[in-house]
Amino acid sequence: MIPTDINALADEYLRLAYHGVRAKDKSFNAALHTNFDPGIGTINIIPQDIGRVLLNLINNAFYAVNEKSKEAVKGFEPEVTISTRMLPASENSLIHQSTNSLIISVKDNGNGIPQKVLDKIFQPFFTTKPTGQGTGLGLSLSYDIVKAHGGELRVETKEGEGSSFTIQLPNA
């Protein structure tokens, strides 16, 4: 575990992922929004691992908004938002209830995840992407990495409106 500026890490991976998608598809555009809690400071994580989780969640968000863009929905503007905040121990009902925890959220305004597959998305080799476009390992590995950090990875989604993946990590 290394003391890491999570806001800088999240911002770096957001831009890295965006440029990676743009390198493959010059027509891709999305509004990038950040809402970082400046009071977080550093937290002890394995930055390469959490970076991998962030990269996967952000790439999935870009995929979702890009797919919705192709539908030419009138007035649709692709947006991906990443935010961080510290959750005080008094509000922490999930993990390590006596400590504060870090919340990292990756949100998109894509098509959301169909309800019928929602309980499968963290299973290895499950993917909603067409053959050849996803291995079905990204969310499974992300889930395992977050668990190994003592945290939780959750999703909220609304079909047609988008998804929000939330990482909650103890700030021990």
Side-chain angles (χ1 to χ4, degrees), residues 87-109:
L87 184 67
S90 60
E91 295 175 35
N92 187 357
S93 63
L94 274 183
I95 52 176
H96 307 286
Q97 293 160 355
S98 61
T99 63
N100 296 341
S101 56
L102 172 69
I103 305 291
I104 308 167
S105 175
V106 178
K107 184 177 181 180
D108 68 70
N109 66 342

Side-chain angles (χ1 to χ4, degrees), residues 14-29:
L14 177 64
R15 300 191 191 296
L16 184 71
Y18 185 68
H19 293 300
V21 173
R22 293 259 312 146
K24 287 185 213 151
D25 179 359
K26 300 275 187 254
S27 68
F28 177 78
N29 275 303

Side-chain angles (χ1 to χ4, degrees), residues 1 13-14 29 35 55 74-75 98 124 163:
M1 300 280 198
Y13 278 96
L14 177 64
N29 275 303
N35 185 10
L55 193 59
K74 187 172 171 61
S98 61
S163 299

